[in-house]
PDB file of all heavy atoms in Angstrom:
ATOM      1  N   LEU A 226     -16.933   4.916   6.487  1.00 95.00           N
ATOM      2  CA  LEU A 226     -16.161   5.837   7.308  1.00 95.00           C
ATOM      3  C   LEU A 226     -15.818   5.203   8.659  1.00 95.00           C
ATOM      4  O   LEU A 226     -14.706   5.386   9.173  1.00 95.00           O
ATOM      5  CB  LEU A 226     -16.936   7.139   7.520  1.00 95.00           C
ATOM      6  CG  LEU A 226     -17.081   8.045   6.294  1.00 95.00           C
ATOM      7  CD1 LEU A 226     -17.957   9.241   6.631  1.00 95.00           C
ATOM      8  CD2 LEU A 226     -15.721   8.508   5.783  1.00 95.00           C
ATOM      9  N   ARG A 227     -16.748   4.471   9.212  1.00 94.00           N
ATOM     10  CA  ARG A 227     -16.476   3.765  10.479  1.00 94.00           C
ATOM     11  C   ARG A 227     -15.352   2.742  10.302  1.00 94.00           C
ATOM     12  O   ARG A 227     -14.494   2.605  11.168  1.00 94.00           O
ATOM     13  CB  ARG A 227     -17.750   3.087  10.967  1.00 94.00           C
ATOM     14  CG  ARG A 227     -18.789   4.035  11.549  1.00 94.00           C
ATOM     15  CD  ARG A 227     -20.068   3.309  11.914  1.00 94.00           C
ATOM     16  NE  ARG A 227     -21.023   4.193  12.575  1.00 94.00           N
ATOM     17  CZ  ARG A 227     -22.282   3.873  12.831  1.00 94.00           C
ATOM     18  NH1 ARG A 227     -22.741   2.663  12.480  1.00 94.00           N
ATOM     19  NH2 ARG A 227     -23.085   4.727  13.442  1.00 94.00           N
ATOM     20  N   MET A 228     -15.389   2.025   9.179  1.00 92.00           N
ATOM     21  CA  MET A 228     -14.345   1.025   8.908  1.00 92.00           C
ATOM     22  C   MET A 228     -12.977   1.697   8.730  1.00 92.00           C
ATOM     23  O   MET A 228     -11.971   1.207   9.243  1.00 92.00           O
ATOM     24  CB  MET A 228     -14.706   0.241   7.643  1.00 92.00           C
ATOM     25  CG  MET A 228     -15.928  -0.678   7.822  1.00 92.00           C
ATOM     26  SD  MET A 228     -16.610  -1.244   6.225  1.00 92.00           S
ATOM     27  CE  MET A 228     -15.229  -2.175   5.559  1.00 92.00           C
ATOM     28  N   LEU A 229     -12.950   2.807   8.020  1.00 93.00           N
ATOM     29  CA  LEU A 229     -11.689   3.523   7.793  1.00 93.00           C
ATOM     30  C   LEU A 229     -11.136   4.090   9.100  1.00 93.00           C
ATOM     31  O   LEU A 229      -9.919   4.113   9.311  1.00 93.00           O
ATOM     32  CB  LEU A 229     -11.892   4.638   6.774  1.00 93.00           C
ATOM     33  CG  LEU A 229     -12.094   4.172   5.332  1.00 93.00           C
ATOM     34  CD1 LEU A 229     -12.650   5.282   4.475  1.00 93.00           C
ATOM     35  CD2 LEU A 229     -10.777   3.657   4.747  1.00 93.00           C
ATOM     36  N   LYS A 230     -12.030   4.527   9.959  1.00 92.00           N
ATOM     37  CA  LYS A 230     -11.593   5.029  11.264  1.00 92.00           C
ATOM     38  C   LYS A 230     -11.025   3.884  12.104  1.00 92.00           C
ATOM     39  O   LYS A 230      -9.952   4.015  12.720  1.00 92.00           O
ATOM     40  CB  LYS A 230     -12.760   5.693  11.998  1.00 92.00           C
ATOM     41  CG  LYS A 230     -12.376   6.243  13.355  1.00 92.00           C
ATOM     42  CD  LYS A 230     -13.580   6.873  14.058  1.00 92.00           C
ATOM     43  CE  LYS A 230     -13.200   7.326  15.469  1.00 92.00           C
ATOM     44  NZ  LYS A 230     -14.373   7.870  16.189  1.00 92.00           N
ATOM     45  N   LYS A 231     -11.708   2.742  12.100  1.00 89.00           N
ATOM     46  CA  LYS A 231     -11.245   1.575  12.845  1.00 89.00           C
ATOM     47  C   LYS A 231      -9.894   1.108  12.335  1.00 89.00           C
ATOM     48  O   LYS A 231      -9.024   0.675  13.118  1.00 89.00           O
ATOM     49  CB  LYS A 231     -12.263   0.435  12.736  1.00 89.00           C
ATOM     50  CG  LYS A 231     -11.881  -0.824  13.489  1.00 89.00           C
ATOM     51  CD  LYS A 231     -12.936  -1.898  13.330  1.00 89.00           C
ATOM     52  CE  LYS A 231     -12.533  -3.172  14.064  1.00 89.00           C
ATOM     53  NZ  LYS A 231     -13.544  -4.256  13.877  1.00 89.00           N
ATOM     54  N   ASP A 232      -9.665   1.189  11.015  1.00 86.00           N
ATOM     55  CA  ASP A 232      -8.422   0.732  10.417  1.00 86.00           C
ATOM     56  C   ASP A 232      -7.286   1.744  10.548  1.00 86.00           C
ATOM     57  O   ASP A 232      -6.159   1.490  10.105  1.00 86.00           O
ATOM     58  CB  ASP A 232      -8.634   0.400   8.935  1.00 86.00           C
ATOM     59  CG  ASP A 232      -9.439  -0.870   8.736  1.00 86.00           C
ATOM     60  OD1 ASP A 232      -9.549  -1.649   9.704  1.00 86.00           O
ATOM     61  OD2 ASP A 232      -9.956  -1.086   7.629  1.00 86.00           O
ATOM     62  N   GLY A 233      -7.589   2.908  11.143  1.00 84.00           N
ATOM     63  CA  GLY A 233      -6.529   3.866  11.421  1.00 84.00           C
ATOM     64  C   GLY A 233      -6.242   4.865  10.325  1.00 84.00           C
ATOM     65  O   GLY A 233      -5.176   5.491  10.324  1.00 84.00           O
ATOM     66  N   PHE A 234      -7.180   5.054   9.395  1.00 89.00           N
ATOM     67  CA  PHE A 234      -6.977   6.015   8.321  1.00 89.00           C
ATOM     68  C   PHE A 234      -7.620   7.359   8.614  1.00 89.00           C
ATOM     69  O   PHE A 234      -7.237   8.377   8.037  1.00 89.00           O
ATOM     70  CB  PHE A 234      -7.515   5.476   6.997  1.00 89.00           C
ATOM     71  CG  PHE A 234      -6.745   4.307   6.471  1.00 89.00           C
ATOM     72  CD1 PHE A 234      -7.219   3.015   6.638  1.00 89.00           C
ATOM     73  CD2 PHE A 234      -5.530   4.481   5.835  1.00 89.00           C
ATOM     74  CE1 PHE A 234      -6.500   1.917   6.160  1.00 89.00           C
ATOM     75  CE2 PHE A 234      -4.813   3.402   5.362  1.00 89.00           C
ATOM     76  CZ  PHE A 234      -5.301   2.118   5.535  1.00 89.00           C
ATOM     77  N   LEU A 235      -8.621   7.363   9.468  1.00 93.00           N
ATOM     78  CA  LEU A 235      -9.367   8.573   9.802  1.00 93.00           C
ATOM     79  C   LEU A 235      -9.406   8.784  11.312  1.00 93.00           C
ATOM     80  O   LEU A 235      -9.338   7.822  12.075  1.00 93.00           O
ATOM     81  CB  LEU A 235     -10.806   8.502   9.271  1.00 93.00           C
ATOM     82  CG  LEU A 235     -11.004   8.238   7.771  1.00 93.00           C
ATOM     83  CD1 LEU A 235     -12.491   8.120   7.465  1.00 93.00           C
ATOM     84  CD2 LEU A 235     -10.373   9.347   6.943  1.00 93.00           C
ATOM     85  N   VAL A 236      -9.538  10.039  11.711  1.00 92.00           N
ATOM     86  CA  VAL A 236      -9.719  10.376  13.122  1.00 92.00           C
ATOM     87  C   VAL A 236     -10.830  11.407  13.220  1.00 92.00           C
ATOM     88  O   VAL A 236     -11.160  12.098  12.246  1.00 92.00           O
ATOM     89  CB  VAL A 236      -8.427  10.945  13.747  1.00 92.00           C
ATOM     90  CG1 VAL A 236      -7.355   9.887  13.848  1.00 92.00           C
ATOM     91  CG2 VAL A 236      -7.925  12.154  12.985  1.00 92.00           C
ATOM     92  N   ASP A 237     -11.421  11.519  14.405  1.00 90.00           N
ATOM     93  CA  ASP A 237     -12.480  12.506  14.630  1.00 90.00           C
ATOM     94  C   ASP A 237     -11.938  13.915  14.461  1.00 90.00           C
ATOM     95  O   ASP A 237     -10.817  14.226  14.858  1.00 90.00           O
ATOM     96  CB  ASP A 237     -13.062  12.346  16.036  1.00 90.00           C
ATOM     97  CG  ASP A 237     -13.925  11.102  16.159  1.00 90.00           C
ATOM     98  OD1 ASP A 237     -14.723  10.839  15.245  1.00 90.00           O
ATOM     99  OD2 ASP A 237     -13.793  10.389  17.180  1.00 90.00           O
ATOM    100  N   ALA A 238     -12.764  14.771  13.874  1.00 85.00           N
ATOM    101  CA  ALA A 238     -12.397  16.178  13.695  1.00 85.00           C
ATOM    102  C   ALA A 238     -13.500  17.066  14.272  1.00 85.00           C
ATOM    103  O   ALA A 238     -13.879  18.083  13.690  1.00 85.00           O
ATOM    104  CB  ALA A 238     -12.178  16.495  12.226  1.00 85.00           C
ATOM    105  N   GLY A 239     -14.028  16.664  15.417  1.00 78.00           N
ATOM    106  CA  GLY A 239     -15.065  17.439  16.088  1.00 78.00           C
ATOM    107  C   GLY A 239     -16.331  17.515  15.270  1.00 78.00           C
ATOM    108  O   GLY A 239     -16.753  16.537  14.645  1.00 78.00           O
ATOM    109  N   ARG A 240     -16.925  18.688  15.246  1.00 75.00           N
ATOM    110  CA  ARG A 240     -18.183  18.862  14.514  1.00 75.00           C
ATOM    111  C   ARG A 240     -17.994  18.846  13.006  1.00 75.00           C
ATOM    112  O   ARG A 240     -18.970  18.806  12.259  1.00 75.00           O
ATOM    113  CB  ARG A 240     -18.841  20.190  14.919  1.00 75.00           C
ATOM    114  CG  ARG A 240     -19.285  20.235  16.381  1.00 75.00           C
ATOM    115  CD  ARG A 240     -19.947  21.550  16.697  1.00 75.00           C
ATOM    116  NE  ARG A 240     -20.422  21.604  18.083  1.00 75.00           N
ATOM    117  CZ  ARG A 240     -21.029  22.647  18.622  1.00 75.00           C
ATOM    118  NH1 ARG A 240     -21.225  23.739  17.886  1.00 75.00           N
ATOM    119  NH2 ARG A 240     -21.420  22.614  19.880  1.00 75.00           N
ATOM    120  N   ARG A 241     -16.753  18.868  12.588  1.00 73.00           N
ATOM    121  CA  ARG A 241     -16.472  18.928  11.151  1.00 73.00           C
ATOM    122  C   ARG A 241     -16.299  17.542  10.552  1.00 73.00           C
ATOM    123  O   ARG A 241     -15.758  17.372   9.488  1.00 73.00           O
ATOM    124  CB  ARG A 241     -15.225  19.775  10.903  1.00 73.00           C
ATOM    125  CG  ARG A 241     -15.383  21.218  11.385  1.00 73.00           C
ATOM    126  CD  ARG A 241     -14.157  22.034  11.068  1.00 73.00           C
ATOM    127  NE  ARG A 241     -13.928  22.154   9.634  1.00 73.00           N
ATOM    128  CZ  ARG A 241     -12.877  22.755   9.108  1.00 73.00           C
ATOM    129  NH1 ARG A 241     -11.938  23.260   9.898  1.00 73.00           N
ATOM    130  NH2 ARG A 241     -12.726  22.830   7.797  1.00 73.00           N
ATOM    131  N   GLY A 242     -16.762  16.508  11.245  1.00 82.00           N
ATOM    132  CA  GLY A 242     -16.720  15.151  10.709  1.00 82.00           C
ATOM    133  C   GLY A 242     -15.441  14.428  11.057  1.00 82.00           C
ATOM    134  O   GLY A 242     -15.008  14.418  12.204  1.00 82.00           O
ATOM    135  N   LEU A 243     -14.814  13.862  10.035  1.00 93.00           N
ATOM    136  CA  LEU A 243     -13.591  13.090  10.221  1.00 93.00           C
ATOM    137  C   LEU A 243     -12.459  13.716   9.408  1.00 93.00           C
ATOM    138  O   LEU A 243     -12.696  14.463   8.458  1.00 93.00           O
ATOM    139  CB  LEU A 243     -13.808  11.643   9.792  1.00 93.00           C
ATOM    140  CG  LEU A 243     -14.830  10.842  10.611  1.00 93.00           C
ATOM    141  CD1 LEU A 243     -15.173   9.543   9.902  1.00 93.00           C
ATOM    142  CD2 LEU A 243     -14.287  10.552  11.997  1.00 93.00           C
ATOM    143  N   MET A 244     -11.247  13.354   9.756  1.00 93.00           N
ATOM    144  CA  MET A 244     -10.072  13.878   9.078  1.00 93.00           C
ATOM    145  C   MET A 244      -9.159  12.736   8.677  1.00 93.00           C
ATOM    146  O   MET A 244      -9.019  11.752   9.418  1.00 93.00           O
ATOM    147  CB  MET A 244      -9.331  14.837  10.026  1.00 93.00           C
ATOM    148  CG  MET A 244      -8.051  15.432   9.445  1.00 93.00           C
ATOM    149  SD  MET A 244      -7.223  16.546  10.630  1.00 93.00           S
ATOM    150  CE  MET A 244      -6.495  15.319  11.730  1.00 93.00           C
ATOM    151  N   VAL A 245      -8.556  12.837   7.506  1.00 92.00           N
ATOM    152  CA  VAL A 245      -7.573  11.855   7.070  1.00 92.00           C
ATOM    153  C   VAL A 245      -6.341  11.976   7.973  1.00 92.00           C
ATOM    154  O   VAL A 245      -5.740  13.043   8.074  1.00 92.00           O
ATOM    155  CB  VAL A 245      -7.166  12.070   5.601  1.00 92.00           C
ATOM    156  CG1 VAL A 245      -6.096  11.059   5.188  1.00 92.00           C
ATOM    157  CG2 VAL A 245      -8.386  11.951   4.693  1.00 92.00           C
TER     158      VAL A 245
END
Side-chain angles (χ1 to χ4, degrees):
L226 290 176
R227 286 175 175 171
M228 292 164 62
L229 288 165
K230 181 181 176 183
K231 180 180 179 182
D232 288 343
F234 292 100
L235 304 177
V236 292
D237 287 317
R240 295 181 178 180
R241 299 182 64 184
L243 296 168
M244 178 181 76
V245 178

